[in-house]
């Protein structure tokens, strides 16, 4: 953003999820479902309540989940035609990709059904959302591992600050199949003893530059860093806060992606000790699980906490005794392999 450009205020109007918690609901805030399995698939809503029977039959689970969550958000915000549809997905329609490749082998590359191929690409979700809602505006997909959703959110943020758009549908979508889960488990990414379950993500949210009485929270800033040293990390966090007229002392709480895997948790705990030693730490992955786009559910959870003005007790880090007495904002942190750092600043409406 140019120095002389006036900073725009951006709001999260609505956000809906389909995950391992009750779908399209905030029931997880009062009565979360707890799992002991290492792999847990998302809890699907009744798709036929939202989609035509023909659509339900021909679409894969990821597509149906994304479409249903999006339709609910569009209805809640009364925004049938957002000015941008920006999608973050690391794996795309993984189930249909696997089915297509299996069919190639079984049928010796002959007489293949086009359905699995047509719905196997990463941008299928974004394009289907556009087709279904008859939207012909800006539409793009980010597939950058665990930063996929964060980059989609950054894209919307930058375009809104530049005045190119005023509304944007932003989402994070990923599914998991057994074969790929086994590969991830062998690498130690999931399935480690004491770690949260591997899961699936569907989350759609509407961003708007116009304030509304029922919006969830303000998206006050976002920053993504690649391999920052300690000095640059501190400088950029302080810059992010100062641009929102805040300092580190003003932060109410910090939400991290701690998941019980020591390799994953170490950079989060080091960051908290270095920059936020006296701030309450919040976690969300023990509720929503771990996957490549789980950061979308973290931002979703933080937004709903700010809307309600309270944080469920089970979200606090048990290793710290700090509690948030006056919730005004949440700094969301997503760290990928200790190299990429993403910060999303959310403020109470």
């Amino acid at each position: 953003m140019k120095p002389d450009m006036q900073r725009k205020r951006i709001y999260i109007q609505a956000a809906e999820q389909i995950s391992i918690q009750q779908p399209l609901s905030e029931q997880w805030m009062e009565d979360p479902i707890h799992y002991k399995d290492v792999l847990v698939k998302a809890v699907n809503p009744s798709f036929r309540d939202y989609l035509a029977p023909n659509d339900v039959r021909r679409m894969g689970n990821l597509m149906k989940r994304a479409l249903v969550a999006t339709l609910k958000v569009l209805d809640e915000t009364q925004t049938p035609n957002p000015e941008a549809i920006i999608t973050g997905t690391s794996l795309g329609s993984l189930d249909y990709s696997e089915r297509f490749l299996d069919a190639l082998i079984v049928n010796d590359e002959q007489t293949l059904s086009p359905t699995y191929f047509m719905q196997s690409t990463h941008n299928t979700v974004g394009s289907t959302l556009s087709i279904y809602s008859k939207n012909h505006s800006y539409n793009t997909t980010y597939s950058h591992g665990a930063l996929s959703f964060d980059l989609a959110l950054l894209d919307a943020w930058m375009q809104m600050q530049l005045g190119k758009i005023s509304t944007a549908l932003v989402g994070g979508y990923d599914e998991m199949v057994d074969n790929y889960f086994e590969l991830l488990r062998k690498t130690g990414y999931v399935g480690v003893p004491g770690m949260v379950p591997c899961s699936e993500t569907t989350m759609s949210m509407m961003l708007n530059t116009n304030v509304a009485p029922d919006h969830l929270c303000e998206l006050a800033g976002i920053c993504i860093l690649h391999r920052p040293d300690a000095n640059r990390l501190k400088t950029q966090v302080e810059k992010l806060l100062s641009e929102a007229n805040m300092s580190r002392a003003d932060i109410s709480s910090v939400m991290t992606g701690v998941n019980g895997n020591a390799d994953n948790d170490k950079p989060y705990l080091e960051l908290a000790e270095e920059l936020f030693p006296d701030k309450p730490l919040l976690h969300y992955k023990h509720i929503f699980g771990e996957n490549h786009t789980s950061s979308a559910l973290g931002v979703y959870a933080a937004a709903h906490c700010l809307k309600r003005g309270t944080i469920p007790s089970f979200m606090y880090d048990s290793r710290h005794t700090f509690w948030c007495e006056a919730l005004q904002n949440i700094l969301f942190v997503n760290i990928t392999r200790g190299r990429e750092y993403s910060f999303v600043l959310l403020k109470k409406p």
Side-chain angles (χ1 to χ4, degrees):
M1 190 168 62
K2 296 179 180 179
D4 58 343
M5 184 179 296
Q6 185 176 1
R7 187 182 179 90
K8 291 181 172 62
R9 301 187 70 174
I10 300 172
Y11 304 93
I12 300 178
Q13 275 191 288
E16 292 291 345
Q17 58 81 22
I18 298 176
S19 66
I20 62 176
Q21 296 298 320
Q22 286 293 332
L24 308 174
S25 166
E26 288 80 62
Q27 185 177 340
W28 62 270
M29 298 189 75
E30 287 87 22
D31 186 25
I33 305 173
H34 297 283
Y35 299 91
K36 295 182 179 180
D37 300 321
V38 293
L39 173 61
V40 181
K41 301 295 183 69
V43 180
N44 289 327
S46 175
F47 293 124
R48 292 179 180 271
D49 292 343
Y50 301 89
L51 304 174
N54 288 341
D55 292 336
V56 173
R57 285 195 297 269
R58 67 181 176 84
M59 291 182 180
N61 271 328
L62 183 70
M63 188 65 62
K64 289 183 287 190
R65 293 168 187 163
L67 195 51
V68 167
T70 295
L71 290 175
K72 198 167 191 301
V73 167
L74 295 179
D75 180 66
E76 288 177 3
T77 60
Q78 295 297 298
T79 310
N81 198 13
E83 296 176 46
I85 296 177
I86 309 176
T87 301
T89 176
S90 175
L91 303 174
S93 300
L94 184 60
D95 181 31
Y96 273 27
S97 296
E98 186 180 66
R99 295 189 189 194
F100 173 69
L101 294 174
D102 285 344
L104 277 175
I105 298 171
V106 172
N107 298 318
D108 194 26
E109 302 183 20
Q110 303 294 321
T111 62
L112 296 173
S113 169
T115 302
Y116 293 151
F117 173 74
M118 291 166 58
Q119 295 193 31
S120 67
T121 60
H122 285 68
N123 61 356
T124 301
V125 174
S127 60
T128 301
L129 296 180
S130 178
I131 293 170
Y132 206 92
S133 60
K134 297 180 174 59
N135 185 297
H136 304 287
S137 59
Y138 177 83
N139 190 310
T140 193
T141 298
Y142 288 88
S143 297
H144 296 72
L147 279 181
S148 298
F149 171 76
D150 308 62
L151 288 168
L153 191 63
L154 178 62
D155 186 346
W157 164 267
M158 293 175 65
Q159 292 204 58
M160 286 181 160
Q161 292 297 342
L162 292 171
K164 293 185 176 181
I165 59 175
S166 59
T167 58
L169 176 72
V170 182
Y173 314 101
D174 265 315
E175 62 183 349
M176 186 58 59
V177 297
D178 294 340
N179 288 335
Y180 189 69
F181 166 74
E182 289 301 327
L183 293 176
L184 291 180
R185 177 150 65 173
K186 289 179 181 179
T187 66
Y189 183 81
V190 295
V192 176
M195 185 180 173
V196 303
C198 181
S199 62
E200 300 178 305
T201 290
T202 291
M203 197 286 296
S204 295
M205 64 169 51
M206 182 67 69
L207 303 183
N208 200 325
T209 56
N210 297 317
V211 64
D214 57 347
H215 67 256
L216 297 179
C217 65
E218 180 182 350
L219 175 60
I222 179 170
C223 173
I224 298 178
L225 304 172
H226 176 65
R227 293 182 181 274
D229 57 29
N231 183 61
R232 182 164 180 257
L233 192 59
K234 178 181 177 181
T235 301
Q236 291 300 315
V237 168
E238 291 179 342
K239 179 182 178 184
L240 171 68
L241 296 172
S242 67
E243 289 177 346
N245 298 317
M246 291 174 55
S247 67
R248 278 189 286 165
D250 298 320
I251 295 177
S252 299
S253 57
V254 179
M255 182 175 288
T256 75
V258 165
N259 64 12
N261 186 329
D263 291 337
N264 171 83
D265 296 352
K266 182 180 178 180
Y268 285 112
L269 299 178
E270 289 177 347
L271 176 72
E273 181 65 27
E274 179 67 25
L275 298 183
F276 314 107
D278 59 344
K279 300 299 179 182
L281 292 186
L282 311 176
H283 305 317
Y284 65 95
K285 288 185 179 179
H286 62 301
I287 301 300
F288 294 105
E290 176 66 272
N291 58 77
H292 291 314
T293 327
S294 56
S295 62
L297 293 170
V299 173
Y300 157 89
H304 279 277
C305 287
L306 287 167
K307 174 63 176 178
R308 294 197 178 193
T310 183
I311 298 171
S313 60
F314 54 78
M315 295 186 72
Y316 283 94
D317 189 319
S318 60
R319 288 164 291 197
H320 295 259
T321 58
F322 304 112
W323 287 75
C324 185
E325 298 180 357
L327 181 60
Q328 296 297 324
N329 54 72
I330 295 176
L331 180 64
F332 174 81
V333 184
N334 181 32
I335 305 176
T336 305
R337 299 185 299 276
R339 297 182 301 204
E340 283 80 33
Y341 288 70
S342 172
F343 298 91
V344 179
L345 179 61
L346 303 174
K347 298 175 67 174
K348 188 176 180 180

